[in-house]
Amino acid sequence: MIQKNSPSPIYHQLEEEIKGAIQSLELVPGEMIPSEKEYTEKYGISRMTVRQAISNLVNGGYLYRQRGKGTFVAEQKLEPPLQGLTNFTEDMISRGLKPSTRVISFTEVKADHELAAKLEVEAGTAIFELERVRLADRLPMAYEKLYIPKDHALDLTEEIAVSAIHDYVEKKFELKIQHGRQVIEAAIAQKKEAEMLGVAEASPVLLIERRSTLETNQPFAVVKSVYRADRYTFKINLERLS
């Protein structure tokens, strides 16, 4: 409830009220929220106050606007922690979501100089290139290309590529994937990326490149991913250094 005598600003109280309705599933993703007028009349507050609260929630990713239609509840973002080496499948399962994969292409290519340097192999080395869309509860989350030297997975097939490749390789070839280095950048979706993710071209996305390394310190694979910024975010816990 809105308490006008509270030291907390009224717009902030309304934000928390709407957040609570979203978290309790009183308002569900894709549902249109009440209009500014309805909030104004319900709580006896100004339309400017309502507009500020809703704008803050839109900026925070809780809501989104559709011109001429109204304001709707957004799909809530996943927040995988940055510490620890996990894969997409493990991330989704840990959040109670059902992961799946749609393979776009699976080919054998020759490593160019840039990719060869990252994988620490000779240029021209045979590399598997896997292009796929990663989904959670059948919703596109990421579009990615994975590169793995053929020597690491000689019998890798498109059918196997639908599942978690890292798990398969660790069990099949007894290769222990020990380390990972990840670089995250903000960007906008290019035409094909937007098509694969089901978003408008130039929508905000997260570009993530990860190189995983075996316990022998030999690079195992490079994955270049494009994540939907409206459904995915990253968090990290920090501790002050002494």
Side-chain angles (χ1 to χ4, degrees), residues 88-89 100-101 132-136 139-144 163:
F88 181 88
T89 299
S100 58
T101 298
R132 58 187 180 177
V133 176
R134 313 305 301 272
L135 307 98
L139 295 174
M141 290 289 175
Y143 164 64
E144 68 179 27
S163 60

Side-chain angles (χ1 to χ4, degrees), residues 44-59:
I45 57 181
S46 72
R47 181 166 289 192
M48 184 177 296
T49 298
V50 174
R51 189 170 297 136
Q52 182 174 357
I54 291 176
S55 292
N56 289 347
L57 291 170
V58 169
N59 293 335

Side-chain angles (χ1 to χ4, degrees), residues 4-131:
K4 295 183 179 179
N5 295 327
S6 170
S8 176
I10 294 177
Y11 73 84
H12 179 69
Q13 293 183 55
L14 181 56
E15 283 181 49
E16 294 303 310
E17 187 84 6
I18 298 173
K19 281 184 188 178
I22 293 172
Q23 291 164 354
S24 66
L25 298 183
E26 181 182 338
L27 291 171
V28 298
E31 181 179 353
M32 185 169 69
I33 68 169
S35 67
E36 291 180 3
K37 182 180 178 182
E38 289 176 287
Y39 280 123
T40 296
E41 294 176 348
K42 179 178 180 179
Y43 295 111
I45 57 181
S46 72
R47 181 166 289 192
M48 184 177 296
T49 298
V50 174
R51 189 170 297 136
Q52 182 174 357
I54 291 176
S55 292
N56 289 347
L57 291 170
V58 169
N59 293 335
Y62 291 92
L63 304 173
Y64 66 93
R65 292 189 175 99
Q66 283 192 353
R67 188 184 296 271
K69 294 184 177 181
T71 305
F72 298 81
V73 179
E75 293 283 348
Q76 297 310 293
K77 295 183 180 182
L78 301 176
E79 296 187 349
L82 287 179
Q83 64 271 22
L85 182 60
T86 59
N87 58 40
F88 181 88
T89 299
E90 293 167 338
D91 283 342
M92 297 304 104
I93 292 175
S94 71
R95 285 161 180 76
L97 301 175
K98 183 178 180 181
S100 58
T101 298
R102 183 167 73 244
V103 174
I104 307 302
S105 66
F106 178 72
T107 57
E108 182 180 323
V109 299
K110 301 297 183 183
D112 59 21
H113 289 284
E114 179 183 356
L115 189 57
K118 292 177 180 178
L119 291 171
E120 296 182 10
V121 296
E122 295 291 332
T125 296
I127 301 288
F128 284 129
E129 179 189 77
L130 171 63
E131 182 183 7

Side-chain angles (χ1 to χ4, degrees), residues 63-241:
L63 304 173
Y64 66 93
R65 292 189 175 99
Q66 283 192 353
R67 188 184 296 271
K69 294 184 177 181
T71 305
F72 298 81
V73 179
E75 293 283 348
Q76 297 310 293
K77 295 183 180 182
L78 301 176
E79 296 187 349
L82 287 179
Q83 64 271 22
L85 182 60
T86 59
N87 58 40
F88 181 88
T89 299
E90 293 167 338
D91 283 342
M92 297 304 104
I93 292 175
S94 71
R95 285 161 180 76
L97 301 175
K98 183 178 180 181
S100 58
T101 298
R102 183 167 73 244
V103 174
I104 307 302
S105 66
F106 178 72
T107 57
E108 182 180 323
V109 299
K110 301 297 183 183
D112 59 21
H113 289 284
E114 179 183 356
L115 189 57
K118 292 177 180 178
L119 291 171
E120 296 182 10
V121 296
E122 295 291 332
T125 296
I127 301 288
F128 284 129
E129 179 189 77
L130 171 63
E131 182 183 7
R132 58 187 180 177
V133 176
R134 313 305 301 272
L135 307 98
D137 286 350
R138 295 183 295 181
L139 295 174
M141 290 289 175
Y143 164 64
E144 68 179 27
K145 286 187 177 181
L146 179 145
Y147 301 91
I148 178 173
K150 188 175 180 180
D151 286 347
H152 289 336
L154 292 174
D155 59 350
L156 186 63
T157 64
E158 182 172 331
E159 289 71 27
I160 296 171
V162 172
S163 60
I165 292 179
H166 286 192
D167 290 346
Y168 167 76
V169 171
E170 285 188 329
K171 293 174 183 177
K172 174 75 175 181
F173 300 102
E174 298 182 351
L175 296 173
K176 180 65 175 178
I177 301 169
Q178 190 68 37
H179 308 285
R181 182 175 183 273
Q182 194 161 264
V183 177
I184 304 173
E185 299 179 60
I188 58 174
Q190 302 303 308
K191 184 176 181 180
K192 183 171 185 179
E193 297 164 351
E195 179 184 343
M196 294 294 103
L197 293 173
V199 299
E201 191 172 347
S203 295
V205 293
L206 295 172
L207 296 182
I208 302 170
E209 181 173 310
R210 174 188 285 194
R211 186 180 79 160
S212 53
T213 307
L214 301 172
E215 58 186 348
T216 59
N217 288 325
Q218 179 185 6
F220 169 73
V222 168
V223 183
K224 298 179 179 180
S225 305
V226 181
Y227 280 82
R228 288 186 58 151
D230 61 337
R231 290 184 181 161
Y232 218 75
T233 187
F234 288 86
K235 67 179 180 181
I236 184 169
N237 296 322
L238 301 174
E239 294 184 15
R240 186 178 179 84
L241 297 176

